[in-house]
Amino acid sequence: MTRDITEMKPFWMVYGIGQRGPAYQHDSEGSALHDAERLAEISPGTTSVVLEATQAVRKRRLDHLDLRTAPVQQTRMLDM
C-alpha cells in the first residue's frame, strides 16, 4: 500500500521529453538537476526536465462498520 499521504515530503523527478516516465524520486532539487545533467551526457539530443511534486491527491475508500456486530466497549457510569 502507498505510504500515508500526510507523511509525504516534496520531491523532484527527471523526465526526458519523449521518453518513458520518470521513476526515481529525488530528495532535493540539486540531486534531480545533477541526474538531468548526467542523462544529458549519455543521451545527446534528448531534453531532460526537472519536475517538482507540489501537490498530492488520493481517493480513499469508504470505511464501513456494522454496529450490530461490532465489539461492545464497556463503559462505567460515574456517580453524579
Side-chain angles (χ1 to χ4, degrees):
M1 178 130 203
T2 307
R3 63 183 160 178
D4 187 341
I5 196 170
T6 62
E7 295 175 2
M8 292 183 71
K9 303 289 184 217
F11 62 90
W12 293 260
M13 300 180 95
V14 178
Y15 173 60
I17 302 294
Q19 307 298 305
R20 63 186 174 124
Y24 184 78
Q25 294 182 7
H26 295 271
D27 293 332
S28 71
E29 184 177 8
S31 173
L33 182 58
H34 181 73
D35 194 29
E37 292 169 347
R38 180 187 65 79
L39 292 170
E41 288 290 333
I42 63 174
S43 301
T46 299
T47 301
S48 293
V49 295
V50 174
L51 309 173
E52 179 181 10
T54 60
Q55 301 289 324
V57 179
R58 179 182 64 206
K59 177 182 175 183
R60 294 186 57 159
R61 294 177 46 189
L62 298 174
D63 295 327
H64 291 263
L65 174 63
D66 186 338
L67 299 177
R68 294 169 291 185
T69 59
V72 177
Q73 184 177 23
Q74 298 292 325
T75 56
R76 188 178 75 132
M77 299 288 289
L78 298 176
D79 296 331
M80 298 187 126

mmCIF file of all heavy atoms in Angstrom, residues 18-70:
data_model
loop_
_atom_site.group_PDB
_atom_site.id
_atom_site.type_symbol
_atom_site.label_atom_id
_atom_site.label_comp_id
_atom_site.label_asym_id
_atom_site.label_seq_id
_atom_site.Cartn_x
_atom_site.Cartn_y
_atom_site.Cartn_z
ATOM 1 N N GLY A 18 9.761 12.925 -24.428
ATOM 2 C CA GLY A 18 9.573 11.873 -25.410
ATOM 3 C C GLY A 18 10.023 10.493 -24.950
ATOM 4 O O GLY A 18 9.920 9.526 -25.695
ATOM 5 N N GLN A 19 10.508 10.397 -23.722
ATOM 6 C CA GLN A 19 10.981 9.122 -23.167
ATOM 7 C C GLN A 19 9.905 8.557 -22.241
ATOM 8 O O GLN A 19 8.885 9.189 -21.992
ATOM 9 C CB GLN A 19 12.293 9.329 -22.394
ATOM 10 C CG GLN A 19 13.378 10.044 -23.189
ATOM 11 C CD GLN A 19 13.793 9.260 -24.418
ATOM 12 O OE1 GLN A 19 14.165 8.102 -24.314
ATOM 13 N NE2 GLN A 19 13.723 9.884 -25.581
ATOM 14 N N ARG A 20 10.151 7.374 -21.697
ATOM 15 C CA ARG A 20 9.206 6.826 -20.732
ATOM 16 C C ARG A 20 9.191 7.700 -19.478
ATOM 17 O O ARG A 20 10.105 8.498 -19.257
ATOM 18 C CB ARG A 20 9.546 5.375 -20.394
ATOM 19 C CG ARG A 20 10.873 5.206 -19.738
ATOM 20 C CD ARG A 20 11.218 3.722 -19.575
ATOM 21 N NE ARG A 20 12.565 3.656 -19.067
ATOM 22 C CZ ARG A 20 12.902 3.040 -17.958
ATOM 23 N NH1 ARG A 20 12.004 2.409 -17.267
ATOM 24 N NH2 ARG A 20 14.143 3.043 -17.537
ATOM 25 N N GLY A 21 8.183 7.542 -18.663
ATOM 26 C CA GLY A 21 8.023 8.387 -17.485
ATOM 27 C C GLY A 21 9.130 8.237 -16.466
ATOM 28 O O GLY A 21 9.827 7.218 -16.427
ATOM 29 N N PRO A 22 9.295 9.242 -15.611
ATOM 30 C CA PRO A 22 10.326 9.179 -14.573
ATOM 31 C C PRO A 22 9.994 8.107 -13.539
ATOM 32 O O PRO A 22 8.836 7.765 -13.339
ATOM 33 C CB PRO A 22 10.299 10.576 -13.952
ATOM 34 C CG PRO A 22 8.967 11.136 -14.290
ATOM 35 C CD PRO A 22 8.517 10.477 -15.560
ATOM 36 N N ALA A 23 11.037 7.579 -12.896
ATOM 37 C CA ALA A 23 10.828 6.507 -11.927
ATOM 38 C C ALA A 23 11.449 6.809 -10.564
ATOM 39 O O ALA A 23 10.997 6.281 -9.560
ATOM 40 C CB ALA A 23 11.402 5.198 -12.466
ATOM 41 N N TYR A 24 12.476 7.647 -10.517
ATOM 42 C CA TYR A 24 13.212 7.864 -9.270
ATOM 43 C C TYR A 24 12.790 9.181 -8.620
ATOM 44 O O TYR A 24 12.699 10.212 -9.279
ATOM 45 C CB TYR A 24 14.714 7.877 -9.537
ATOM 46 C CG TYR A 24 15.525 7.995 -8.272
ATOM 47 C CD1 TYR A 24 15.725 6.895 -7.446
ATOM 48 C CD2 TYR A 24 16.066 9.211 -7.892
ATOM 49 C CE1 TYR A 24 16.451 7.001 -6.274
ATOM 50 C CE2 TYR A 24 16.802 9.335 -6.717
ATOM 51 C CZ TYR A 24 16.985 8.226 -5.918
ATOM 52 O OH TYR A 24 17.701 8.333 -4.759
ATOM 53 N N GLN A 25 12.531 9.147 -7.324
ATOM 54 C CA GLN A 25 12.193 10.350 -6.571
ATOM 55 C C GLN A 25 13.439 10.877 -5.880
ATOM 56 O O GLN A 25 14.020 10.196 -5.037
ATOM 57 C CB GLN A 25 11.117 10.053 -5.529
ATOM 58 C CG GLN A 25 9.789 9.678 -6.118
ATOM 59 C CD GLN A 25 8.742 9.452 -5.039
ATOM 60 O OE1 GLN A 25 8.959 9.697 -3.854
ATOM 61 N NE2 GLN A 25 7.583 8.970 -5.449
ATOM 62 N N HIS A 26 13.837 12.098 -6.226
ATOM 63 C CA HIS A 26 14.995 12.751 -5.604
ATOM 64 C C HIS A 26 14.529 13.539 -4.389
ATOM 65 O O HIS A 26 13.456 14.145 -4.394
ATOM 66 C CB HIS A 26 15.664 13.708 -6.599
ATOM 67 C CG HIS A 26 16.270 13.013 -7.777
ATOM 68 N ND1 HIS A 26 17.566 12.561 -7.777
ATOM 69 C CD2 HIS A 26 15.743 12.679 -8.992
ATOM 70 C CE1 HIS A 26 17.830 11.992 -8.947
ATOM 71 N NE2 HIS A 26 16.734 12.042 -9.691
ATOM 72 N N ASP A 27 15.344 13.542 -3.351
ATOM 73 C CA ASP A 27 15.027 14.277 -2.129
ATOM 74 C C ASP A 27 15.326 15.761 -2.222
ATOM 75 O O ASP A 27 14.905 16.539 -1.364
ATOM 76 C CB ASP A 27 15.796 13.702 -0.935
ATOM 77 C CG ASP A 27 15.326 12.297 -0.586
ATOM 78 O OD1 ASP A 27 14.150 11.972 -0.840
ATOM 79 O OD2 ASP A 27 16.143 11.528 -0.051
ATOM 80 N N SER A 28 16.082 16.164 -3.254
ATOM 81 C CA SER A 28 16.413 17.584 -3.401
ATOM 82 C C SER A 28 16.413 17.968 -4.876
ATOM 83 O O SER A 28 16.609 17.129 -5.760
ATOM 84 C CB SER A 28 17.788 17.900 -2.801
ATOM 85 O OG SER A 28 18.808 17.332 -3.607
ATOM 86 N N GLU A 29 16.202 19.239 -5.128
ATOM 87 C CA GLU A 29 16.230 19.755 -6.491
ATOM 88 C C GLU A 29 17.626 19.603 -7.086
ATOM 89 O O GLU A 29 17.789 19.263 -8.254
ATOM 90 C CB GLU A 29 15.803 21.224 -6.506
ATOM 91 C CG GLU A 29 15.712 21.820 -7.888
ATOM 92 C CD GLU A 29 15.212 23.249 -7.878
ATOM 93 O OE1 GLU A 29 15.070 23.845 -6.786
ATOM 94 O OE2 GLU A 29 14.963 23.780 -8.974
ATOM 95 N N GLY A 30 18.638 19.822 -6.260
ATOM 96 C CA GLY A 30 20.021 19.701 -6.718
ATOM 97 C C GLY A 30 20.350 18.294 -7.195
ATOM 98 O O GLY A 30 21.032 18.118 -8.207
ATOM 99 N N SER A 31 19.875 17.298 -6.480
ATOM 100 C CA SER A 31 20.106 15.914 -6.868
ATOM 101 C C SER A 31 19.437 15.617 -8.208
ATOM 102 O O SER A 31 20.007 14.957 -9.077
ATOM 103 C CB SER A 31 19.568 14.973 -5.781
ATOM 104 O OG SER A 31 19.634 13.630 -6.206
ATOM 105 N N ALA A 32 18.217 16.118 -8.392
ATOM 106 C CA ALA A 32 17.499 15.911 -9.652
ATOM 107 C C ALA A 32 18.217 16.624 -10.799
ATOM 108 O O ALA A 32 18.342 16.073 -11.899
ATOM 109 C CB ALA A 32 16.063 16.405 -9.529
ATOM 110 N N LEU A 33 18.706 17.833 -10.560
ATOM 111 C CA LEU A 33 19.431 18.577 -11.589
ATOM 112 C C LEU A 33 20.703 17.837 -11.986
ATOM 113 O O LEU A 33 21.037 17.730 -13.176
ATOM 114 C CB LEU A 33 19.754 19.989 -11.109
ATOM 115 C CG LEU A 33 20.470 20.882 -12.105
ATOM 116 C CD1 LEU A 33 19.666 21.023 -13.396
ATOM 117 C CD2 LEU A 33 20.727 22.247 -11.482
ATOM 118 N N HIS A 34 21.407 17.301 -11.015
ATOM 119 C CA HIS A 34 22.619 16.517 -11.282
ATOM 120 C C HIS A 34 22.275 15.308 -12.159
ATOM 121 O O HIS A 34 22.999 14.980 -13.109
ATOM 122 C CB HIS A 34 23.266 16.086 -9.973
ATOM 123 C CG HIS A 34 24.509 15.297 -10.149
ATOM 124 N ND1 HIS A 34 25.699 15.859 -10.566
ATOM 125 C CD2 HIS A 34 24.763 13.969 -9.994
ATOM 126 C CE1 HIS A 34 26.622 14.911 -10.652
ATOM 127 N NE2 HIS A 34 26.067 13.749 -10.310
ATOM 128 N N ASP A 35 21.157 14.650 -11.851
ATOM 129 C CA ASP A 35 20.723 13.495 -12.637
ATOM 130 C C ASP A 35 20.341 13.922 -14.054
ATOM 131 O O ASP A 35 20.656 13.230 -15.025
ATOM 132 C CB ASP A 35 19.541 12.806 -11.954
ATOM 133 C CG ASP A 35 19.261 11.428 -12.512
ATOM 134 O OD1 ASP A 35 20.207 10.760 -12.991
ATOM 135 O OD2 ASP A 35 18.095 10.996 -12.454
ATOM 136 N N ALA A 36 19.681 15.074 -14.200
ATOM 137 C CA ALA A 36 19.330 15.584 -15.530
ATOM 138 C C ALA A 36 20.593 15.857 -16.351
ATOM 139 O O ALA A 36 20.641 15.558 -17.556
ATOM 140 C CB ALA A 36 18.489 16.852 -15.403
ATOM 141 N N GLU A 37 21.613 16.396 -15.714
ATOM 142 C CA GLU A 37 22.891 16.642 -16.406
ATOM 143 C C GLU A 37 23.542 15.331 -16.826
ATOM 144 O O GLU A 37 24.066 15.207 -17.934
ATOM 145 C CB GLU A 37 23.824 17.448 -15.500
ATOM 146 C CG GLU A 37 23.333 18.866 -15.260
ATOM 147 C CD GLU A 37 24.101 19.584 -14.168
ATOM 148 O OE1 GLU A 37 24.862 18.919 -13.409
ATOM 149 O OE2 GLU A 37 23.929 20.810 -14.050
ATOM 150 N N ARG A 38 23.478 14.335 -15.948
ATOM 151 C CA ARG A 38 24.027 13.014 -16.265
ATOM 152 C C ARG A 38 23.311 12.409 -17.469
ATOM 153 O O ARG A 38 23.940 11.903 -18.400
ATOM 154 C CB ARG A 38 23.891 12.090 -15.052
ATOM 155 C CG ARG A 38 24.425 10.683 -15.259
ATOM 156 C CD ARG A 38 24.089 9.773 -14.075
ATOM 157 N NE ARG A 38 22.665 9.543 -13.925
ATOM 158 C CZ ARG A 38 21.958 8.670 -14.657
ATOM 159 N NH1 ARG A 38 22.554 7.952 -15.604
ATOM 160 N NH2 ARG A 38 20.666 8.512 -14.444
ATOM 161 N N LEU A 39 21.989 12.503 -17.456
ATOM 162 C CA LEU A 39 21.208 11.951 -18.563
ATOM 163 C C LEU A 39 21.475 12.696 -19.873
ATOM 164 O O LEU A 39 21.507 12.089 -20.944
ATOM 165 C CB LEU A 39 19.719 11.981 -18.225
ATOM 166 C CG LEU A 39 19.293 11.027 -17.105
ATOM 167 C CD1 LEU A 39 17.854 11.305 -16.687
ATOM 168 C CD2 LEU A 39 19.465 9.586 -17.540
ATOM 169 N N ALA A 40 21.689 14.003 -19.789
ATOM 170 C CA ALA A 40 22.006 14.790 -20.985
ATOM 171 C C ALA A 40 23.327 14.329 -21.600
ATOM 172 O O ALA A 40 23.470 14.275 -22.825
ATOM 173 C CB ALA A 40 22.059 16.274 -20.647
ATOM 174 N N GLU A 41 24.277 13.963 -20.756
ATOM 175 C CA GLU A 41 25.575 13.487 -21.240
ATOM 176 C C GLU A 41 25.464 12.159 -21.983
ATOM 177 O O GLU A 41 26.142 11.941 -22.974
ATOM 178 C CB GLU A 41 26.559 13.323 -20.071
ATOM 179 C CG GLU A 41 27.044 14.627 -19.479
ATOM 180 C CD GLU A 41 27.973 15.397 -20.410
ATOM 181 O OE1 GLU A 41 28.652 14.774 -21.255
ATOM 182 O OE2 GLU A 41 28.000 16.626 -20.290
ATOM 183 N N ILE A 42 24.601 11.270 -21.505
ATOM 184 C CA ILE A 42 24.512 9.939 -22.120
ATOM 185 C C ILE A 42 23.433 9.859 -23.205
ATOM 186 O O ILE A 42 23.363 8.862 -23.919
ATOM 187 C CB ILE A 42 24.275 8.835 -21.058
ATOM 188 C CG1 ILE A 42 22.946 9.016 -20.341
ATOM 189 C CG2 ILE A 42 25.426 8.788 -20.073
ATOM 190 C CD1 ILE A 42 22.595 7.869 -19.398
ATOM 191 N N SER A 43 22.594 10.903 -23.319
ATOM 192 C CA SER A 43 21.525 10.912 -24.333
ATOM 193 C C SER A 43 21.521 12.243 -25.083
ATOM 194 O O SER A 43 20.588 13.041 -24.945
ATOM 195 C CB SER A 43 20.163 10.692 -23.682
ATOM 196 O OG SER A 43 20.122 9.482 -22.992
ATOM 197 N N PRO A 44 22.566 12.518 -25.887
ATOM 198 C CA PRO A 44 22.619 13.776 -26.628
ATOM 199 C C PRO A 44 21.355 13.960 -27.472
ATOM 200 O O PRO A 44 20.851 13.008 -28.063
ATOM 201 C CB PRO A 44 23.852 13.625 -27.515
ATOM 202 C CG PRO A 44 24.678 12.571 -26.865
ATOM 203 C CD PRO A 44 23.699 11.644 -26.195
ATOM 204 N N GLY A 45 20.824 15.161 -27.481
ATOM 205 C CA GLY A 45 19.635 15.471 -28.271
ATOM 206 C C GLY A 45 18.332 15.316 -27.511
ATOM 207 O O GLY A 45 17.291 15.804 -27.939
ATOM 208 N N THR A 46 18.355 14.616 -26.371
ATOM 209 C CA THR A 46 17.146 14.463 -25.554
ATOM 210 C C THR A 46 17.154 15.537 -24.477
ATOM 211 O O THR A 46 18.130 15.701 -23.753
ATOM 212 C CB THR A 46 17.091 13.075 -24.883
ATOM 213 O OG1 THR A 46 17.074 12.073 -25.899
ATOM 214 C CG2 THR A 46 15.862 12.925 -24.012
ATOM 215 N N THR A 47 16.079 16.277 -24.397
ATOM 216 C CA THR A 47 15.950 17.307 -23.373
ATOM 217 C C THR A 47 15.398 16.681 -22.101
ATOM 218 O O THR A 47 14.354 16.016 -22.131
ATOM 219 C CB THR A 47 14.999 18.425 -23.840
ATOM 220 O OG1 THR A 47 15.531 18.998 -25.043
ATOM 221 C CG2 THR A 47 14.834 19.500 -22.779
ATOM 222 N N SER A 48 16.096 16.878 -21.008
ATOM 223 C CA SER A 48 15.638 16.386 -19.706
ATOM 224 C C SER A 48 15.176 17.569 -18.872
ATOM 225 O O SER A 48 15.835 18.600 -18.825
ATOM 226 C CB SER A 48 16.767 15.656 -18.970
ATOM 227 O OG SER A 48 17.103 14.464 -19.654
ATOM 228 N N VAL A 49 14.035 17.410 -18.229
ATOM 229 C CA VAL A 49 13.499 18.473 -17.387
ATOM 230 C C VAL A 49 13.353 17.974 -15.953
ATOM 231 O O VAL A 49 13.117 16.787 -15.718
ATOM 232 C CB VAL A 49 12.138 18.998 -17.910
ATOM 233 C CG1 VAL A 49 12.300 19.674 -19.254
ATOM 234 C CG2 VAL A 49 11.118 17.888 -18.014
ATOM 235 N N VAL A 50 13.507 18.882 -15.006
ATOM 236 C CA VAL A 50 13.351 18.569 -13.585
ATOM 237 C C VAL A 50 11.927 18.939 -13.193
ATOM 238 O O VAL A 50 11.480 20.068 -13.400
ATOM 239 C CB VAL A 50 14.375 19.343 -12.727
ATOM 240 C CG1 VAL A 50 14.113 19.118 -11.246
ATOM 241 C CG2 VAL A 50 15.795 18.926 -13.097
ATOM 242 N N LEU A 51 11.207 17.968 -12.654
ATOM 243 C CA LEU A 51 9.819 18.163 -12.232
ATOM 244 C C LEU A 51 9.752 18.169 -10.708
ATOM 245 O O LEU A 51 10.374 17.339 -10.056
ATOM 246 C CB LEU A 51 8.942 17.020 -12.760
ATOM 247 C CG LEU A 51 9.042 16.711 -14.254
ATOM 248 C CD1 LEU A 51 8.256 15.452 -14.584
ATOM 249 C CD2 LEU A 51 8.543 17.892 -15.067
ATOM 250 N N GLU A 52 8.975 19.095 -10.155
ATOM 251 C CA GLU A 52 8.794 19.159 -8.706
ATOM 252 C C GLU A 52 7.373 18.741 -8.354
ATOM 253 O O GLU A 52 6.406 19.258 -8.924
ATOM 254 C CB GLU A 52 9.037 20.574 -8.188
ATOM 255 C CG GLU A 52 8.839 20.702 -6.694
ATOM 256 C CD GLU A 52 9.059 22.117 -6.171
ATOM 257 O OE1 GLU A 52 9.186 23.051 -6.977
ATOM 258 O OE2 GLU A 52 9.099 22.283 -4.952
ATOM 259 N N ALA A 53 7.238 17.805 -7.441
ATOM 260 C CA ALA A 53 5.916 17.420 -6.943
ATOM 261 C C ALA A 53 5.454 18.505 -5.976
ATOM 262 O O ALA A 53 6.128 18.790 -4.990
ATOM 263 C CB ALA A 53 5.984 16.069 -6.248
ATOM 264 N N THR A 54 4.322 19.109 -6.274
ATOM 265 C CA THR A 54 3.840 20.211 -5.442
ATOM 266 C C THR A 54 2.552 19.895 -4.695
ATOM 267 O O THR A 54 2.240 20.541 -3.711
ATOM 268 C CB THR A 54 3.600 21.473 -6.287
ATOM 269 O OG1 THR A 54 2.617 21.185 -7.290
ATOM 270 C CG2 THR A 54 4.894 21.938 -6.940
ATOM 271 N N GLN A 55 1.812 18.906 -5.149
ATOM 272 C CA GLN A 55 0.546 18.536 -4.517
ATOM 273 C C GLN A 55 0.408 17.016 -4.539
ATOM 274 O O GLN A 55 0.935 16.355 -5.426
ATOM 275 C CB GLN A 55 -0.649 19.137 -5.274
ATOM 276 C CG GLN A 55 -0.631 20.649 -5.366
ATOM 277 C CD GLN A 55 -0.902 21.309 -4.034
ATOM 278 O OE1 GLN A 55 -1.692 20.825 -3.223
ATOM 279 N NE2 GLN A 55 -0.226 22.423 -3.783
ATOM 280 N N ALA A 56 -0.323 16.472 -3.581
ATOM 281 C CA ALA A 56 -0.617 15.034 -3.549
ATOM 282 C C ALA A 56 -2.117 14.865 -3.339
ATOM 283 O O ALA A 56 -2.706 15.531 -2.488
ATOM 284 C CB ALA A 56 0.160 14.351 -2.427
ATOM 285 N N VAL A 57 -2.720 13.991 -4.120
ATOM 286 C CA VAL A 57 -4.164 13.758 -4.048
ATOM 287 C C VAL A 57 -4.405 12.254 -4.046
ATOM 288 O O VAL A 57 -3.777 11.526 -4.799
ATOM 289 C CB VAL A 57 -4.885 14.384 -5.270
ATOM 290 C CG1 VAL A 57 -6.370 14.125 -5.212
ATOM 291 C CG2 VAL A 57 -4.583 15.865 -5.369
ATOM 292 N N ARG A 58 -5.294 11.805 -3.185
ATOM 293 C CA ARG A 58 -5.616 10.376 -3.145
ATOM 294 C C ARG A 58 -7.081 10.206 -2.789
ATOM 295 O O ARG A 58 -7.589 10.847 -1.878
ATOM 296 C CB ARG A 58 -4.762 9.658 -2.111
ATOM 297 C CG ARG A 58 -5.085 8.167 -2.037
ATOM 298 C CD ARG A 58 -4.280 7.443 -0.990
ATOM 299 N NE ARG A 58 -4.635 7.950 0.323
ATOM 300 C CZ ARG A 58 -3.813 7.915 1.363
ATOM 301 N NH1 ARG A 58 -2.616 7.415 1.251
ATOM 302 N NH2 ARG A 58 -4.195 8.391 2.528
ATOM 303 N N LYS A 59 -7.745 9.335 -3.504
ATOM 304 C CA LYS A 59 -9.113 8.971 -3.178
ATOM 305 C C LYS A 59 -9.059 7.846 -2.157
ATOM 306 O O LYS A 59 -8.301 6.898 -2.315
ATOM 307 C CB LYS A 59 -9.846 8.499 -4.428
ATOM 308 C CG LYS A 59 -11.256 8.038 -4.146
ATOM 309 C CD LYS A 59 -11.916 7.533 -5.415
ATOM 310 C CE LYS A 59 -13.276 6.962 -5.089
ATOM 311 N NZ LYS A 59 -13.922 6.399 -6.281
ATOM 312 N N ARG A 60 -9.860 7.941 -1.131
ATOM 313 C CA ARG A 60 -9.904 6.903 -0.104
ATOM 314 C C ARG A 60 -11.191 6.117 -0.239
ATOM 315 O O ARG A 60 -12.216 6.647 -0.622
ATOM 316 C CB ARG A 60 -9.843 7.529 1.283
ATOM 317 C CG ARG A 60 -8.507 8.195 1.545
ATOM 318 C CD ARG A 60 -8.434 8.654 2.939
ATOM 319 N NE ARG A 60 -8.657 7.504 3.819
ATOM 320 C CZ ARG A 60 -8.274 7.471 5.069
ATOM 321 N NH1 ARG A 60 -7.678 8.482 5.596
ATOM 322 N NH2 ARG A 60 -8.503 6.420 5.817
ATOM 323 N N ARG A 61 -11.101 4.852 0.105
ATOM 324 C CA ARG A 61 -12.300 4.022 0.147
ATOM 325 C C ARG A 61 -13.122 4.389 1.371
ATOM 326 O O ARG A 61 -12.611 4.934 2.343
ATOM 327 C CB ARG A 61 -11.903 2.556 0.220
ATOM 328 C CG ARG A 61 -11.197 2.086 -1.025
ATOM 329 C CD ARG A 61 -10.743 0.679 -0.921
ATOM 330 N NE ARG A 61 -11.795 -0.176 -0.379
ATOM 331 C CZ ARG A 61 -11.606 -1.433 -0.015
ATOM 332 N NH1 ARG A 61 -10.430 -1.977 -0.110
ATOM 333 N NH2 ARG A 61 -12.601 -2.157 0.467
ATOM 334 N N LEU A 62 -14.377 4.072 1.314
ATOM 335 C CA LEU A 62 -15.242 4.306 2.467
ATOM 336 C C LEU A 62 -14.991 3.244 3.518
ATOM 337 O O LEU A 62 -14.800 2.074 3.211
ATOM 338 C CB LEU A 62 -16.715 4.266 2.037
ATOM 339 C CG LEU A 62 -17.129 5.320 1.026
ATOM 340 C CD1 LEU A 62 -18.564 5.065 0.589
ATOM 341 C CD2 LEU A 62 -16.974 6.709 1.599
ATOM 342 N N ASP A 63 -14.996 3.630 4.766
ATOM 343 C CA ASP A 63 -14.868 2.687 5.872
ATOM 344 C C ASP A 63 -16.274 2.357 6.374
ATOM 345 O O ASP A 63 -17.066 3.262 6.633
ATOM 346 C CB ASP A 63 -14.048 3.288 7.014
ATOM 347 C CG ASP A 63 -12.609 3.545 6.620
ATOM 348 O OD1 ASP A 63 -12.081 2.766 5.814
ATOM 349 O OD2 ASP A 63 -12.031 4.519 7.119
ATOM 350 N N HIS A 64 -16.564 1.072 6.498
ATOM 351 C CA HIS A 64 -17.868 0.625 6.997
ATOM 352 C C HIS A 64 -17.662 -0.148 8.287
ATOM 353 O O HIS A 64 -16.730 -0.939 8.401
ATOM 354 C CB HIS A 64 -18.546 -0.297 5.976
ATOM 355 C CG HIS A 64 -18.972 0.426 4.741
ATOM 356 N ND1 HIS A 64 -20.244 0.885 4.564
ATOM 357 C CD2 HIS A 64 -18.288 0.774 3.633
ATOM 358 C CE1 HIS A 64 -20.334 1.478 3.392
ATOM 359 N NE2 HIS A 64 -19.154 1.434 2.811
ATOM 360 N N LEU A 65 -18.558 0.066 9.235
ATOM 361 C CA LEU A 65 -18.545 -0.674 10.495
ATOM 362 C C LEU A 65 -19.971 -1.084 10.801
ATOM 363 O O LEU A 65 -20.857 -0.228 10.920
ATOM 364 C CB LEU A 65 -17.984 0.190 11.629
ATOM 365 C CG LEU A 65 -18.035 -0.410 13.021
ATOM 366 C CD1 LEU A 65 -17.172 -1.672 13.092
ATOM 367 C CD2 LEU A 65 -17.608 0.599 14.053
ATOM 368 N N ASP A 66 -20.219 -2.377 10.883
ATOM 369 C CA ASP A 66 -21.547 -2.878 11.219
ATOM 370 C C ASP A 66 -21.707 -2.769 12.730
ATOM 371 O O ASP A 66 -21.078 -3.505 13.495
ATOM 372 C CB ASP A 66 -21.704 -4.327 10.757
ATOM 373 C CG ASP A 66 -23.122 -4.848 10.953
ATOM 374 O OD1 ASP A 66 -23.859 -4.283 11.795
ATOM 375 O OD2 ASP A 66 -23.481 -5.817 10.264
ATOM 376 N N LEU A 67 -22.490 -1.831 13.165
ATOM 377 C CA LEU A 67 -22.653 -1.577 14.595
ATOM 378 C C LEU A 67 -23.367 -2.711 15.311
ATOM 379 O O LEU A 67 -23.263 -2.850 16.526
ATOM 380 C CB LEU A 67 -23.406 -0.262 14.806
ATOM 381 C CG LEU A 67 -22.706 0.979 14.237
ATOM 382 C CD1 LEU A 67 -23.576 2.202 14.438
ATOM 383 C CD2 LEU A 67 -21.348 1.173 14.877
ATOM 384 N N ARG A 68 -24.086 -3.545 14.558
ATOM 385 C CA ARG A 68 -24.788 -4.667 15.179
ATOM 386 C C ARG A 68 -23.829 -5.774 15.586
ATOM 387 O O ARG A 68 -24.105 -6.523 16.516
ATOM 388 C CB ARG A 68 -25.849 -5.214 14.232
ATOM 389 C CG ARG A 68 -26.978 -4.190 13.968
ATOM 390 C CD ARG A 68 -27.849 -4.650 12.853
ATOM 391 N NE ARG A 68 -27.025 -4.568 11.638
ATOM 392 C CZ ARG A 68 -27.467 -4.801 10.421
ATOM 393 N NH1 ARG A 68 -28.709 -5.161 10.222
ATOM 394 N NH2 ARG A 68 -26.671 -4.692 9.380
ATOM 395 N N THR A 69 -22.707 -5.873 14.893
ATOM 396 C CA THR A 69 -21.770 -6.967 15.191
ATOM 397 C C THR A 69 -20.431 -6.481 15.742
ATOM 398 O O THR A 69 -19.555 -7.280 16.023
ATOM 399 C CB THR A 69 -21.510 -7.798 13.922
ATOM 400 O OG1 THR A 69 -20.960 -6.940 12.919
ATOM 401 C CG2 THR A 69 -22.780 -8.449 13.415
ATOM 402 N N ALA A 70 -20.267 -5.178 15.878
ATOM 403 C CA ALA A 70 -19.012 -4.627 16.391
ATOM 404 C C ALA A 70 -18.869 -4.968 17.873
ATOM 405 O O ALA A 70 -19.863 -5.031 18.597
ATOM 406 C CB ALA A 70 -18.980 -3.115 16.208
#
